[in-house]
Amino acid sequence: MKLISFFNHKGGVGKTTLVYNIGLALAAKGKRVAFLDLDAQANLTAAALSPTRIVDGWSKGNTVWKCVKPVVDRSGELEIIELAQIRDTAWILPGDIRLSEFEEVCPQGWTEALAGNAGGFRVSATIHRLAQLAGAQVSADYVLADLGPNVGAMNRTALLASDGFVIPMAPDLFSITALPSVGKSTSLWVEEWRAAKGSAERREISLNFPLPLGEPSPLGYISQQFTTYRQAPAAAYKQWIDRMPSEYERGVAAPLKKAGVSVPAGDPHIGEVRNLSSLIPMAQKSQSAVFELSGTEARGSQYTRARDTFTLFDNLAASILGRLEGEPSQ
């Protein structure tokens, strides 16, 4: 089982849409997929579950908060709830606004882990253990995590738990300027976690739970959401698209290479999602992937466009998995 996170310091880049559509494309090809909604805004949960199912799950306490609350309270062991099934081979662990309370205990847990405290390792390995338990429950091939747009303490635990991460990007200045903070923060976390684990080994600290390797591979970036004119990017956006490869290399790939993390060789650009305009709200309304829209939901040319997106998201999924397995990117 592999954990792949979708992450960018900047919000508004279509991250949740990518996670959901790529995951359901994998499920449509027979892969078993578990989604983890680790963004306190719970947009992935809203995309996957009907309002009735969300309210029902909340009333029963069946969200990620129930899983991590014992860790936050330091009252017991991490729990795992039954994941909500959304397709034959796809499930989700619903998000919760109260994840912000887990975020609050992560800095102290990190400090304690760096000092060699077993309790600190328990907090800092929470997302790793959560992903392992959730994946095992449904025999998942892949766990896909939707992370919030920040370089905060909870995302640190999530990225260190990940085998790889994908950066969704919009063609604008702010998406470009967010890259150095992603690379700088992640490389620092990797080095500090490596030192913490080494200290624990030397001190022979006994832990009854597994620790993540803590070396997430940057799998590349996906550019999206721009206007086209005669099948070419509009001039206002093209300048940012052209800068993405070099800015990604300088801001993300180089710092992680320096930290000793495996970085896929070749072009960091995984693929491109053009402006899907009205298809996105249609899909969100029906809790479906864009390519799952029916002829009554999307009519005429819209329906054809919607169906054609399966190839897009299937190709993105295949490229991500290839990079994760060490295949050179094209």
Side-chain angles (χ1 to χ4, degrees):
M1 187 278 293
K2 300 287 188 180
L3 172 59
I4 305 168
S5 291
F6 288 70
F7 169 66
N8 194 334
H9 191 182
K10 181 185 182 298
V13 294
K15 172 175 54 65
T16 300
T17 296
L18 274 178
V19 176
Y20 193 52
N21 282 270
I22 288 172
L24 290 187
L26 284 171
K29 296 294 284 284
K31 298 297 184 182
R32 300 178 70 84
V33 178
F35 293 100
L36 293 186
D37 192 346
L38 299 179
D39 185 346
Q41 297 179 77
N43 289 328
L44 181 59
T45 300
L49 299 176
S50 68
T52 299
R53 292 187 73 184
I54 292 173
V55 171
D56 182 60
W58 178 275
S59 65
K60 295 176 181 176
N62 290 334
T63 72
V64 66
W65 171 244
K66 184 175 183 178
C67 302
V68 303
K69 187 176 185 299
V71 177
V72 174
D73 297 341
R74 303 221 170 178
S75 61
E77 185 52 85
L78 177 78
E79 273 193 57
I80 186 65
I81 63 170
E82 183 177 353
L83 273 62
Q85 187 165 17
I86 56 176
R87 298 294 185 276
D88 287 344
T89 59
W91 296 260
I92 185 170
L93 180 57
D96 196 307
I97 188 67
R98 290 169 291 183
L99 269 177
S100 58
E101 295 187 39
F102 175 62
E103 174 98 44
E104 291 175 3
V105 305
C106 287
Q108 181 180 348
W110 184 253
T111 300
E112 291 175 352
L114 294 180
N117 183 292
F121 282 109
R122 185 176 299 278
V123 173
S124 299
T126 293
I127 301 301
H128 174 68
R129 293 187 290 145
L130 185 64
Q132 295 294 319
L133 290 170
Q137 181 187 126
V138 298
S139 301
D141 298 301
Y142 301 99
V143 176
L144 304 186
D146 187 19
L147 308 188
N150 61 74
V151 287
M154 188 176 78
N155 279 349
R156 174 173 55 205
T157 70
L159 282 174
L160 291 175
S162 303
D163 295 282
F165 65 97
V166 174
I167 301 180
M169 294 187 64
D172 58 40
L173 171 65
F174 306 107
S175 200
I176 292 286
T177 55
L179 292 175
S181 67
V182 172
K184 179 180 179 180
S185 297
T186 307
S187 59
L188 176 63
W189 297 339
V190 166
E191 292 171 340
E192 290 183 341
W193 184 246
R194 195 180 288 147
K197 290 201 303 177
S199 176
E201 291 172 1
R202 289 190 297 273
R203 296 176 59 185
E204 298 182 346
I205 295 174
S206 179
L207 302 171
N208 62 353
F209 52 87
L211 294 177
L213 176 62
E215 298 188 7
S217 177
L219 302 177
Y221 69 90
I222 298 175
S223 58
Q224 58 178 328
Q225 293 185 346
F226 57 85
T227 304
T228 62
Y229 178 71
R230 293 182 180 175
Q231 305 304 310
Y237 301 116
K238 188 175 184 301
Q239 62 171 315
W240 306 118
I241 295 169
D242 291 345
R243 286 180 56 180
M244 283 180 184
S246 60
E247 296 289 349
Y248 177 90
E249 174 62 31
R250 181 165 48 250
V252 177
L256 283 164
K257 286 177 184 176
K258 187 176 180 180
V261 174
S262 174
V263 177
D267 187 356
H269 190 205
I270 297 171
E272 174 182 275
V273 178
R274 294 196 172 184
N275 195 329
L276 298 176
S277 58
S278 59
L279 294 176
I280 298 299
M282 287 181 191
Q284 291 172 338
K285 184 176 180 180
S286 61
Q287 288 78 53
S288 66
V290 174
F291 55 81
E292 293 176 325
L293 286 168
S294 69
T296 57
E297 293 167 323
R299 299 178 181 274
S301 61
Q302 282 188 322
Y303 175 70
T304 301
R305 286 181 63 212
R307 300 296 292 179
D308 288 346
T309 63
F310 177 76
T311 300
L312 165 67
F313 290 113
D314 183 47
N315 287 341
L316 290 174
S319 181
I320 289 168
L321 299 189
R323 292 161 188 249
L324 193 65
E325 299 303 327
E327 299 173 9
S329 54
Q330 300 300 314

